[in-house]
Amino acid sequence: MLVKRRLVERHWLPDDADIRVTRLRVTTEPAPEVEVFLFPRCSPGYKDDVSAQERVHGFENHVGLFMAEAEEARLTRLADGLETTGRMVYEGSAHNPHENTTMLYFAPSAPVARTRRRFPRWELQCAGDLTACAARREVRVRALFQAYEALKANHVDGGVIPSVSARRRVPVSVPKA
């Protein structure tokens, strides 16, 4: 369970924490799915601040792309594009043997993370085991740390709705540097 492993590592939770994922479909037609992460309050290791920390860094807001016929060359080109033109930072990867998929995770670079965006993080889900290809991609730890700090600094609390005049404008695109 990839989500559980990542949450356990990020928040120093016990291995027996009860963390689950469910997918919701809003139509029977081919359409995007919504993933919902469940971490019951009665679970071992539950802490109130886990969801707040996830929210501050934008971990729960991401776009997932599925590559049905992923091959190493195609995946490498797409990941390269996300890191260069897309101005994102590779976070790492994991293989899900239950679904036989490989996930690659990307965060916005610090300059991009300084602007408020609805879905700052991206994940690529690829059919098959592409861990060898993913392992060749470098996780730039310093750039990733800077991205997380920028996401945290740019966080807007969703609990209070400011008046229309006080609300920050949400850019529809990132200005060119």
Side-chain angles (χ1 to χ4, degrees), residues 6-54:
R6 289 173 59 87
L7 286 170
V8 164
E9 289 172 359
R10 269 199 297 265
H11 301 285
W12 301 87
L13 300 172
D15 288 336
D16 62 344
D18 184 15
I19 299 168
R20 299 171 190 230
V21 177
T22 188
R23 291 191 181 113
L24 304 174
R25 266 196 194 150
V26 294
T27 178
T28 56
E29 301 298 317
E33 295 178 330
V34 176
E35 272 187 339
V36 178
F37 306 102
L38 308 169
F39 187 19
R41 292 179 191 265
C42 60
S43 173
Y46 176 85
K47 300 184 271 187
D48 285 334
D49 71 330
V50 168
S51 61
Q53 287 300 312
E54 290 289 297

mmCIF file of all heavy atoms in Angstrom, residues 6-54:
data_model
loop_
_atom_site.group_PDB
_atom_site.id
_atom_site.type_symbol
_atom_site.label_atom_id
_atom_site.label_comp_id
_atom_site.label_asym_id
_atom_site.label_seq_id
_atom_site.Cartn_x
_atom_site.Cartn_y
_atom_site.Cartn_z
ATOM 1 N N ARG A 6 3.964 5.959 2.336
ATOM 2 C CA ARG A 6 4.407 7.353 2.247
ATOM 3 C C ARG A 6 3.962 8.159 3.470
ATOM 4 O O ARG A 6 4.730 8.976 3.978
ATOM 5 C CB ARG A 6 3.907 7.977 0.940
ATOM 6 C CG ARG A 6 4.655 7.402 -0.270
ATOM 7 C CD ARG A 6 4.098 7.863 -1.583
ATOM 8 N NE ARG A 6 4.102 9.289 -1.791
ATOM 9 C CZ ARG A 6 5.115 9.986 -2.296
ATOM 10 N NH1 ARG A 6 6.223 9.374 -2.629
ATOM 11 N NH2 ARG A 6 5.002 11.283 -2.487
ATOM 12 N N LEU A 7 2.756 7.936 3.959
ATOM 13 C CA LEU A 7 2.291 8.656 5.156
ATOM 14 C C LEU A 7 3.057 8.222 6.401
ATOM 15 O O LEU A 7 3.411 9.054 7.238
ATOM 16 C CB LEU A 7 0.791 8.443 5.356
ATOM 17 C CG LEU A 7 -0.117 9.196 4.394
ATOM 18 C CD1 LEU A 7 -1.558 8.722 4.529
ATOM 19 C CD2 LEU A 7 -0.018 10.691 4.601
ATOM 20 N N VAL A 8 3.328 6.935 6.530
ATOM 21 C CA VAL A 8 4.095 6.428 7.674
ATOM 22 C C VAL A 8 5.484 7.065 7.685
ATOM 23 O O VAL A 8 5.964 7.511 8.728
ATOM 24 C CB VAL A 8 4.174 4.881 7.649
ATOM 25 C CG1 VAL A 8 5.258 4.351 8.568
ATOM 26 C CG2 VAL A 8 2.814 4.283 8.020
ATOM 27 N N GLU A 9 6.113 7.131 6.516
ATOM 28 C CA GLU A 9 7.458 7.713 6.432
ATOM 29 C C GLU A 9 7.447 9.218 6.702
ATOM 30 O O GLU A 9 8.290 9.726 7.428
ATOM 31 C CB GLU A 9 8.057 7.456 5.047
ATOM 32 C CG GLU A 9 8.428 6.013 4.822
ATOM 33 C CD GLU A 9 8.843 5.715 3.389
ATOM 34 O OE1 GLU A 9 8.828 6.642 2.524
ATOM 35 O OE2 GLU A 9 9.162 4.554 3.116
ATOM 36 N N ARG A 10 6.478 9.941 6.124
ATOM 37 C CA ARG A 10 6.445 11.401 6.282
ATOM 38 C C ARG A 10 6.142 11.839 7.705
ATOM 39 O O ARG A 10 6.629 12.858 8.164
ATOM 40 C CB ARG A 10 5.375 12.007 5.367
ATOM 41 C CG ARG A 10 5.878 12.389 4.020
ATOM 42 C CD ARG A 10 4.974 13.377 3.307
ATOM 43 N NE ARG A 10 3.644 12.947 2.999
ATOM 44 C CZ ARG A 10 3.264 12.434 1.832
ATOM 45 N NH1 ARG A 10 4.136 12.272 0.858
ATOM 46 N NH2 ARG A 10 2.016 12.088 1.632
ATOM 47 N N HIS A 11 5.300 11.067 8.406
ATOM 48 C CA HIS A 11 4.802 11.506 9.720
ATOM 49 C C HIS A 11 5.250 10.610 10.882
ATOM 50 O O HIS A 11 4.759 10.734 11.980
ATOM 51 C CB HIS A 11 3.274 11.593 9.691
ATOM 52 C CG HIS A 11 2.775 12.551 8.657
ATOM 53 N ND1 HIS A 11 2.840 13.911 8.822
ATOM 54 C CD2 HIS A 11 2.256 12.343 7.435
ATOM 55 C CE1 HIS A 11 2.353 14.503 7.748
ATOM 56 N NE2 HIS A 11 2.003 13.565 6.887
ATOM 57 N N TRP A 12 6.193 9.710 10.610
ATOM 58 C CA TRP A 12 6.732 8.824 11.649
ATOM 59 C C TRP A 12 5.601 8.069 12.360
ATOM 60 O O TRP A 12 5.562 7.992 13.583
ATOM 61 C CB TRP A 12 7.563 9.627 12.656
ATOM 62 C CG TRP A 12 8.705 10.343 12.026
ATOM 63 C CD1 TRP A 12 8.669 11.581 11.459
ATOM 64 C CD2 TRP A 12 10.026 9.859 11.837
ATOM 65 N NE1 TRP A 12 9.896 11.901 10.942
ATOM 66 C CE2 TRP A 12 10.757 10.862 11.166
ATOM 67 C CE3 TRP A 12 10.671 8.672 12.178
ATOM 68 C CZ2 TRP A 12 12.089 10.712 10.839
ATOM 69 C CZ3 TRP A 12 11.999 8.548 11.842
ATOM 70 C CH2 TRP A 12 12.695 9.560 11.177
ATOM 71 N N LEU A 13 4.700 7.498 11.575
ATOM 72 C CA LEU A 13 3.574 6.744 12.135
ATOM 73 C C LEU A 13 3.989 5.291 12.328
ATOM 74 O O LEU A 13 4.896 4.801 11.655
ATOM 75 C CB LEU A 13 2.369 6.812 11.188
ATOM 76 C CG LEU A 13 1.830 8.208 10.891
ATOM 77 C CD1 LEU A 13 0.764 8.147 9.802
ATOM 78 C CD2 LEU A 13 1.265 8.846 12.146
ATOM 79 N N PRO A 14 3.282 4.579 13.219
ATOM 80 C CA PRO A 14 3.597 3.154 13.393
ATOM 81 C C PRO A 14 3.177 2.347 12.166
ATOM 82 O O PRO A 14 2.267 2.740 11.433
ATOM 83 C CB PRO A 14 2.780 2.759 14.625
ATOM 84 C CG PRO A 14 1.670 3.744 14.700
ATOM 85 C CD PRO A 14 2.214 5.030 14.118
ATOM 86 N N ASP A 15 3.828 1.230 11.945
ATOM 87 C CA ASP A 15 3.531 0.381 10.788
ATOM 88 C C ASP A 15 2.104 -0.164 10.798
ATOM 89 O O ASP A 15 1.564 -0.497 9.752
ATOM 90 C CB ASP A 15 4.520 -0.780 10.709
ATOM 91 C CG ASP A 15 5.903 -0.321 10.289
ATOM 92 O OD1 ASP A 15 6.015 0.744 9.644
ATOM 93 O OD2 ASP A 15 6.885 -1.014 10.619
ATOM 94 N N ASP A 16 1.497 -0.246 12.000
ATOM 95 C CA ASP A 16 0.137 -0.787 12.069
ATOM 96 C C ASP A 16 -0.939 0.293 11.951
ATOM 97 O O ASP A 16 -2.118 0.032 12.212
ATOM 98 C CB ASP A 16 -0.057 -1.626 13.336
ATOM 99 C CG ASP A 16 0.120 -0.831 14.618
ATOM 100 O OD1 ASP A 16 0.674 0.287 14.570
ATOM 101 O OD2 ASP A 16 -0.293 -1.335 15.689
ATOM 102 N N ALA A 17 -0.575 1.498 11.538
ATOM 103 C CA ALA A 17 -1.566 2.549 11.320
ATOM 104 C C ALA A 17 -2.564 2.072 10.262
ATOM 105 O O ALA A 17 -2.182 1.457 9.272
ATOM 106 C CB ALA A 17 -0.886 3.835 10.879
ATOM 107 N N ASP A 18 -3.836 2.330 10.486
ATOM 108 C CA ASP A 18 -4.894 1.891 9.581
ATOM 109 C C ASP A 18 -5.170 3.000 8.570
ATOM 110 O O ASP A 18 -5.969 3.897 8.811
ATOM 111 C CB ASP A 18 -6.160 1.563 10.379
ATOM 112 C CG ASP A 18 -7.274 1.014 9.512
ATOM 113 O OD1 ASP A 18 -7.011 0.616 8.357
ATOM 114 O OD2 ASP A 18 -8.424 0.990 9.984
ATOM 115 N N ILE A 19 -4.475 2.949 7.447
ATOM 116 C CA ILE A 19 -4.618 3.957 6.402
ATOM 117 C C ILE A 19 -5.083 3.235 5.145
ATOM 118 O O ILE A 19 -4.485 2.253 4.726
ATOM 119 C CB ILE A 19 -3.285 4.687 6.147
ATOM 120 C CG1 ILE A 19 -2.841 5.391 7.427
ATOM 121 C CG2 ILE A 19 -3.420 5.653 4.984
ATOM 122 C CD1 ILE A 19 -1.427 5.905 7.384
ATOM 123 N N ARG A 20 -6.149 3.748 4.555
ATOM 124 C CA ARG A 20 -6.722 3.094 3.376
ATOM 125 C C ARG A 20 -6.992 4.104 2.273
ATOM 126 O O ARG A 20 -7.078 5.291 2.522
ATOM 127 C CB ARG A 20 -8.028 2.405 3.755
ATOM 128 C CG ARG A 20 -7.825 1.339 4.806
ATOM 129 C CD ARG A 20 -9.121 0.819 5.332
ATOM 130 N NE ARG A 20 -8.875 -0.020 6.491
ATOM 131 C CZ ARG A 20 -9.379 -1.216 6.627
ATOM 132 N NH1 ARG A 20 -10.156 -1.708 5.710
ATOM 133 N NH2 ARG A 20 -9.111 -1.914 7.697
ATOM 134 N N VAL A 21 -7.160 3.594 1.086
ATOM 135 C CA VAL A 21 -7.481 4.419 -0.072
ATOM 136 C C VAL A 21 -8.696 3.814 -0.742
ATOM 137 O O VAL A 21 -8.804 2.595 -0.878
ATOM 138 C CB VAL A 21 -6.317 4.441 -1.080
ATOM 139 C CG1 VAL A 21 -6.697 5.233 -2.313
ATOM 140 C CG2 VAL A 21 -5.072 5.007 -0.445
ATOM 141 N N THR A 22 -9.599 4.664 -1.151
ATOM 142 C CA THR A 22 -10.718 4.207 -1.959
ATOM 143 C C THR A 22 -10.830 5.143 -3.153
ATOM 144 O O THR A 22 -10.428 6.295 -3.079
ATOM 145 C CB THR A 22 -12.036 4.149 -1.154
ATOM 146 O OG1 THR A 22 -13.035 3.514 -1.940
ATOM 147 C CG2 THR A 22 -12.499 5.535 -0.729
ATOM 148 N N ARG A 23 -11.329 4.628 -4.241
ATOM 149 C CA ARG A 23 -11.508 5.436 -5.446
ATOM 150 C C ARG A 23 -12.991 5.588 -5.715
ATOM 151 O O ARG A 23 -13.748 4.626 -5.647
ATOM 152 C CB ARG A 23 -10.822 4.781 -6.635
ATOM 153 C CG ARG A 23 -9.323 4.811 -6.520
ATOM 154 C CD ARG A 23 -8.661 4.394 -7.822
ATOM 155 N NE ARG A 23 -7.223 4.419 -7.669
ATOM 156 C CZ ARG A 23 -6.462 3.342 -7.701
ATOM 157 N NH1 ARG A 23 -7.000 2.155 -7.902
ATOM 158 N NH2 ARG A 23 -5.162 3.446 -7.557
ATOM 159 N N LEU A 24 -13.374 6.795 -6.044
ATOM 160 C CA LEU A 24 -14.771 7.100 -6.338
ATOM 161 C C LEU A 24 -14.908 7.459 -7.810
ATOM 162 O O LEU A 24 -14.094 8.206 -8.351
ATOM 163 C CB LEU A 24 -15.253 8.282 -5.495
ATOM 164 C CG LEU A 24 -15.097 8.153 -3.990
ATOM 165 C CD1 LEU A 24 -15.479 9.461 -3.321
ATOM 166 C CD2 LEU A 24 -15.934 7.012 -3.470
ATOM 167 N N ARG A 25 -15.954 6.924 -8.414
ATOM 168 C CA ARG A 25 -16.292 7.287 -9.793
ATOM 169 C C ARG A 25 -17.630 7.982 -9.750
ATOM 170 O O ARG A 25 -18.567 7.490 -9.137
ATOM 171 C CB ARG A 25 -16.430 6.034 -10.645
ATOM 172 C CG ARG A 25 -15.198 5.716 -11.319
ATOM 173 C CD ARG A 25 -15.379 4.755 -12.444
ATOM 174 N NE ARG A 25 -14.019 4.345 -12.723
ATOM 175 C CZ ARG A 25 -13.678 3.210 -13.180
ATOM 176 N NH1 ARG A 25 -14.580 2.330 -13.473
ATOM 177 N NH2 ARG A 25 -12.422 2.932 -13.366
ATOM 178 N N VAL A 26 -17.707 9.112 -10.409
ATOM 179 C CA VAL A 26 -18.964 9.857 -10.383
ATOM 180 C C VAL A 26 -19.869 9.513 -11.560
ATOM 181 O O VAL A 26 -20.999 9.964 -11.621
ATOM 182 C CB VAL A 26 -18.707 11.385 -10.329
ATOM 183 C CG1 VAL A 26 -18.055 11.754 -9.018
ATOM 184 C CG2 VAL A 26 -17.854 11.827 -11.501
ATOM 185 N N THR A 27 -19.378 8.704 -12.481
ATOM 186 C CA THR A 27 -20.163 8.301 -13.639
ATOM 187 C C THR A 27 -19.714 6.910 -14.081
ATOM 188 O O THR A 27 -18.607 6.478 -13.768
ATOM 189 C CB THR A 27 -20.012 9.312 -14.793
ATOM 190 O OG1 THR A 27 -20.758 8.844 -15.920
ATOM 191 C CG2 THR A 27 -18.559 9.474 -15.195
ATOM 192 N N THR A 28 -20.571 6.233 -14.811
ATOM 193 C CA THR A 28 -20.190 4.934 -15.351
ATOM 194 C C THR A 28 -19.396 5.092 -16.639
ATOM 195 O O THR A 28 -18.761 4.159 -17.096
ATOM 196 C CB THR A 28 -21.436 4.061 -15.635
ATOM 197 O OG1 THR A 28 -22.307 4.769 -16.514
ATOM 198 C CG2 THR A 28 -22.144 3.712 -14.339
ATOM 199 N N GLU A 29 -19.446 6.287 -17.236
ATOM 200 C CA GLU A 29 -18.677 6.574 -18.445
ATOM 201 C C GLU A 29 -17.200 6.715 -18.079
ATOM 202 O O GLU A 29 -16.868 7.009 -16.936
ATOM 203 C CB GLU A 29 -19.173 7.878 -19.084
ATOM 204 C CG GLU A 29 -20.641 7.853 -19.462
ATOM 205 C CD GLU A 29 -20.968 6.801 -20.510
ATOM 206 O OE1 GLU A 29 -20.188 6.660 -21.478
ATOM 207 O OE2 GLU A 29 -21.987 6.123 -20.359
ATOM 208 N N PRO A 30 -16.295 6.543 -19.044
ATOM 209 C CA PRO A 30 -14.875 6.801 -18.753
ATOM 210 C C PRO A 30 -14.697 8.257 -18.322
ATOM 211 O O PRO A 30 -15.119 9.180 -19.012
ATOM 212 C CB PRO A 30 -14.181 6.548 -20.093
ATOM 213 C CG PRO A 30 -15.121 5.680 -20.859
ATOM 214 C CD PRO A 30 -16.503 6.056 -20.404
ATOM 215 N N ALA A 31 -14.154 8.439 -17.143
ATOM 216 C CA ALA A 31 -13.980 9.779 -16.576
ATOM 217 C C ALA A 31 -12.950 9.713 -15.460
ATOM 218 O O ALA A 31 -12.599 8.625 -14.996
ATOM 219 C CB ALA A 31 -15.325 10.284 -16.030
ATOM 220 N N PRO A 32 -12.469 10.863 -15.024
ATOM 221 C CA PRO A 32 -11.510 10.867 -13.912
ATOM 222 C C PRO A 32 -12.118 10.252 -12.648
ATOM 223 O O PRO A 32 -13.324 10.311 -12.426
ATOM 224 C CB PRO A 32 -11.226 12.355 -13.687
ATOM 225 C CG PRO A 32 -11.585 13.015 -14.970
ATOM 226 C CD PRO A 32 -12.707 12.198 -15.551
ATOM 227 N N GLU A 33 -11.255 9.648 -11.853
ATOM 228 C CA GLU A 33 -11.659 9.104 -10.561
ATOM 229 C C GLU A 33 -11.145 10.035 -9.470
ATOM 230 O O GLU A 33 -10.205 10.788 -9.679
ATOM 231 C CB GLU A 33 -11.043 7.724 -10.331
ATOM 232 C CG GLU A 33 -11.520 6.671 -11.273
ATOM 233 C CD GLU A 33 -10.826 5.342 -11.021
ATOM 234 O OE1 GLU A 33 -9.665 5.334 -10.569
ATOM 235 O OE2 GLU A 33 -11.450 4.315 -11.286
ATOM 236 N N VAL A 34 -11.764 9.952 -8.314
ATOM 237 C CA VAL A 34 -11.316 10.704 -7.152
ATOM 238 C C VAL A 34 -10.807 9.692 -6.131
ATOM 239 O O VAL A 34 -11.510 8.747 -5.788
ATOM 240 C CB VAL A 34 -12.464 11.539 -6.534
ATOM 241 C CG1 VAL A 34 -12.009 12.235 -5.269
ATOM 242 C CG2 VAL A 34 -12.999 12.530 -7.550
ATOM 243 N N GLU A 35 -9.562 9.876 -5.682
ATOM 244 C CA GLU A 35 -9.009 9.020 -4.637
ATOM 245 C C GLU A 35 -9.244 9.679 -3.293
ATOM 246 O O GLU A 35 -8.995 10.867 -3.128
ATOM 247 C CB GLU A 35 -7.497 8.854 -4.813
ATOM 248 C CG GLU A 35 -7.099 7.740 -5.695
ATOM 249 C CD GLU A 35 -5.591 7.528 -5.697
ATOM 250 O OE1 GLU A 35 -4.822 8.443 -5.340
ATOM 251 O OE2 GLU A 35 -5.197 6.429 -6.085
ATOM 252 N N VAL A 36 -9.721 8.881 -2.345
ATOM 253 C CA VAL A 36 -9.964 9.382 -0.991
ATOM 254 C C VAL A 36 -9.094 8.563 -0.039
ATOM 255 O O VAL A 36 -9.103 7.328 -0.081
ATOM 256 C CB VAL A 36 -11.454 9.248 -0.589
ATOM 257 C CG1 VAL A 36 -11.676 9.726 0.827
ATOM 258 C CG2 VAL A 36 -12.340 10.019 -1.565
ATOM 259 N N PHE A 37 -8.307 9.272 0.785
ATOM 260 C CA PHE A 37 -7.441 8.627 1.761
ATOM 261 C C PHE A 37 -8.145 8.620 3.104
ATOM 262 O O PHE A 37 -8.631 9.655 3.560
ATOM 263 C CB PHE A 37 -6.104 9.370 1.866
ATOM 264 C CG PHE A 37 -5.440 9.530 0.530
ATOM 265 C CD1 PHE A 37 -5.489 10.729 -0.151
ATOM 266 C CD2 PHE A 37 -4.787 8.458 -0.054
ATOM 267 C CE1 PHE A 37 -4.889 10.860 -1.392
ATOM 268 C CE2 PHE A 37 -4.187 8.593 -1.294
ATOM 269 C CZ PHE A 37 -4.241 9.791 -1.957
ATOM 270 N N LEU A 38 -8.200 7.469 3.730
ATOM 271 C CA LEU A 38 -8.909 7.308 4.999
ATOM 272 C C LEU A 38 -7.926 6.970 6.112
ATOM 273 O O LEU A 38 -7.147 6.027 5.988
ATOM 274 C CB LEU A 38 -9.957 6.192 4.874
ATOM 275 C CG LEU A 38 -10.915 6.320 3.674
ATOM 276 C CD1 LEU A 38 -11.707 5.037 3.491
ATOM 277 C CD2 LEU A 38 -11.818 7.505 3.853
ATOM 278 N N PHE A 39 -7.966 7.734 7.204
ATOM 279 C CA PHE A 39 -7.105 7.525 8.364
ATOM 280 C C PHE A 39 -7.983 7.749 9.591
ATOM 281 O O PHE A 39 -8.050 8.858 10.132
ATOM 282 C CB PHE A 39 -5.926 8.495 8.316
ATOM 283 C CG PHE A 39 -4.867 8.272 9.379
ATOM 284 C CD1 PHE A 39 -4.736 7.075 10.060
ATOM 285 C CD2 PHE A 39 -3.983 9.287 9.683
ATOM 286 C CE1 PHE A 39 -3.752 6.887 11.017
ATOM 287 C CE2 PHE A 39 -2.985 9.116 10.633
ATOM 288 C CZ PHE A 39 -2.880 7.917 11.302
ATOM 289 N N PRO A 40 -8.699 6.705 10.042
ATOM 290 C CA PRO A 40 -9.645 6.860 11.154
ATOM 291 C C PRO A 40 -8.973 7.336 12.439
ATOM 292 O O PRO A 40 -7.835 6.981 12.734
ATOM 293 C CB PRO A 40 -10.213 5.444 11.337
ATOM 294 C CG PRO A 40 -9.884 4.712 10.089
ATOM 295 C CD PRO A 40 -8.647 5.341 9.530
ATOM 296 N N ARG A 41 -9.699 8.130 13.200
ATOM 297 C CA ARG A 41 -9.185 8.654 14.475
ATOM 298 C C ARG A 41 -8.838 7.538 15.454
ATOM 299 O O ARG A 41 -7.992 7.714 16.308
ATOM 300 C CB ARG A 41 -10.202 9.594 15.111
ATOM 301 C CG ARG A 41 -10.384 10.869 14.330
ATOM 302 C CD ARG A 41 -11.428 11.772 14.999
ATOM 303 N NE ARG A 41 -11.781 12.866 14.132
ATOM 304 C CZ ARG A 41 -11.221 14.056 14.180
ATOM 305 N NH1 ARG A 41 -10.293 14.306 15.062
ATOM 306 N NH2 ARG A 41 -11.586 14.999 13.352
ATOM 307 N N CYS A 42 -9.468 6.379 15.323
ATOM 308 C CA CYS A 42 -9.203 5.265 16.244
ATOM 309 C C CYS A 42 -7.984 4.442 15.813
ATOM 310 O O CYS A 42 -7.603 3.489 16.485
ATOM 311 C CB CYS A 42 -10.437 4.377 16.365
ATOM 312 S SG CYS A 42 -10.967 3.646 14.802
ATOM 313 N N SER A 43 -7.351 4.811 14.712
ATOM 314 C CA SER A 43 -6.201 4.075 14.193
ATOM 315 C C SER A 43 -4.981 4.263 15.080
ATOM 316 O O SER A 43 -4.756 5.344 15.624
ATOM 317 C CB SER A 43 -5.875 4.577 12.789
ATOM 318 O OG SER A 43 -4.671 4.001 12.333
ATOM 319 N N PRO A 44 -4.152 3.211 15.219
ATOM 320 C CA PRO A 44 -2.892 3.379 15.950
ATOM 321 C C PRO A 44 -2.049 4.483 15.316
ATOM 322 O O PRO A 44 -1.921 4.537 14.099
ATOM 323 C CB PRO A 44 -2.196 2.018 15.791
ATOM 324 C CG PRO A 44 -3.290 1.058 15.473
ATOM 325 C CD PRO A 44 -4.335 1.846 14.727
ATOM 326 N N GLY A 45 -1.547 5.369 16.155
ATOM 327 C CA GLY A 45 -0.680 6.441 15.683
ATOM 328 C C GLY A 45 -1.404 7.655 15.145
ATOM 329 O O GLY A 45 -0.765 8.607 14.711
ATOM 330 N N TYR A 46 -2.748 7.653 15.168
ATOM 331 C CA TYR A 46 -3.480 8.798 14.636
ATOM 332 C C TYR A 46 -3.078 10.074 15.375
ATOM 333 O O TYR A 46 -2.969 10.098 16.594
ATOM 334 C CB TYR A 46 -5.004 8.611 14.763
ATOM 335 C CG TYR A 46 -5.757 9.826 14.301
ATOM 336 C CD1 TYR A 46 -6.052 9.997 12.954
ATOM 337 C CD2 TYR A 46 -6.133 10.828 15.186
ATOM 338 C CE1 TYR A 46 -6.713 11.128 12.508
ATOM 339 C CE2 TYR A 46 -6.792 11.965 14.753
ATOM 340 C CZ TYR A 46 -7.075 12.107 13.417
ATOM 341 O OH TYR A 46 -7.731 13.233 12.978
ATOM 342 N N LYS A 47 -2.808 11.130 14.600
ATOM 343 C CA LYS A 47 -2.510 12.445 15.161
ATOM 344 C C LYS A 47 -3.354 13.474 14.413
ATOM 345 O O LYS A 47 -3.482 13.399 13.190
ATOM 346 C CB LYS A 47 -1.028 12.792 14.999
ATOM 347 C CG LYS A 47 -0.080 11.835 15.683
ATOM 348 C CD LYS A 47 1.359 12.301 15.550
ATOM 349 C CE LYS A 47 1.981 11.757 14.293
ATOM 350 N NZ LYS A 47 3.405 12.025 14.150
ATOM 351 N N ASP A 48 -3.911 14.422 15.146
ATOM 352 C CA ASP A 48 -4.744 15.454 14.523
ATOM 353 C C ASP A 48 -3.993 16.262 13.481
ATOM 354 O O ASP A 48 -4.583 16.737 12.517
ATOM 355 C CB ASP A 48 -5.305 16.416 15.577
ATOM 356 C CG ASP A 48 -6.438 15.794 16.379
ATOM 357 O OD1 ASP A 48 -7.119 14.884 15.859
ATOM 358 O OD2 ASP A 48 -6.637 16.220 17.529
ATOM 359 N N ASP A 49 -2.686 16.422 13.660
ATOM 360 C CA ASP A 49 -1.951 17.308 12.750
ATOM 361 C C ASP A 49 -1.526 16.650 11.438
ATOM 362 O O ASP A 49 -1.005 17.330 10.560
ATOM 363 C CB ASP A 49 -0.753 17.922 13.463
ATOM 364 C CG ASP A 49 0.348 16.914 13.736
ATOM 365 O OD1 ASP A 49 0.046 15.727 13.914
ATOM 366 O OD2 ASP A 49 1.517 17.333 13.768
ATOM 367 N N VAL A 50 -1.766 15.357 11.266
ATOM 368 C CA VAL A 50 -1.374 14.700 10.015
ATOM 369 C C VAL A 50 -2.100 15.333 8.835
ATOM 370 O O VAL A 50 -1.469 15.721 7.841
ATOM 371 C CB VAL A 50 -1.614 13.175 10.060
ATOM 372 C CG1 VAL A 50 -1.476 12.556 8.675
ATOM 373 C CG2 VAL A 50 -0.654 12.524 11.035
ATOM 374 N N SER A 51 -3.408 15.481 8.924
ATOM 375 C CA SER A 51 -4.149 16.061 7.798
ATOM 376 C C SER A 51 -3.751 17.516 7.588
ATOM 377 O O SER A 51 -3.644 17.971 6.446
ATOM 378 C CB SER A 51 -5.654 15.932 7.997
ATOM 379 O OG SER A 51 -6.067 16.621 9.159
ATOM 380 N N ALA A 52 -3.499 18.252 8.671
ATOM 381 C CA ALA A 52 -3.077 19.650 8.533
ATOM 382 C C ALA A 52 -1.733 19.747 7.824
ATOM 383 O O ALA A 52 -1.550 20.582 6.931
ATOM 384 C CB ALA A 52 -3.002 20.317 9.906
ATOM 385 N N GLN A 53 -0.787 18.872 8.182
ATOM 386 C CA GLN A 53 0.523 18.887 7.533
ATOM 387 C C GLN A 53 0.428 18.480 6.058
ATOM 388 O O GLN A 53 1.106 19.045 5.207
ATOM 389 C CB GLN A 53 1.509 17.972 8.271
ATOM 390 C CG GLN A 53 1.976 18.530 9.586
ATOM 391 C CD GLN A 53 2.696 19.860 9.386
ATOM 392 O OE1 GLN A 53 3.562 20.010 8.540
ATOM 393 N NE2 GLN A 53 2.300 20.852 10.166
ATOM 394 N N GLU A 54 -0.417 17.511 5.766
ATOM 395 C CA GLU A 54 -0.615 17.108 4.374
ATOM 396 C C GLU A 54 -1.179 18.280 3.567
ATOM 397 O O GLU A 54 -0.760 18.542 2.451
ATOM 398 C CB GLU A 54 -1.568 15.911 4.289
ATOM 399 C CG GLU A 54 -0.979 14.620 4.825
ATOM 400 C CD GLU A 54 0.103 14.062 3.927
ATOM 401 O OE1 GLU A 54 -0.198 13.705 2.774
ATOM 402 O OE2 GLU A 54 1.259 13.992 4.385
#
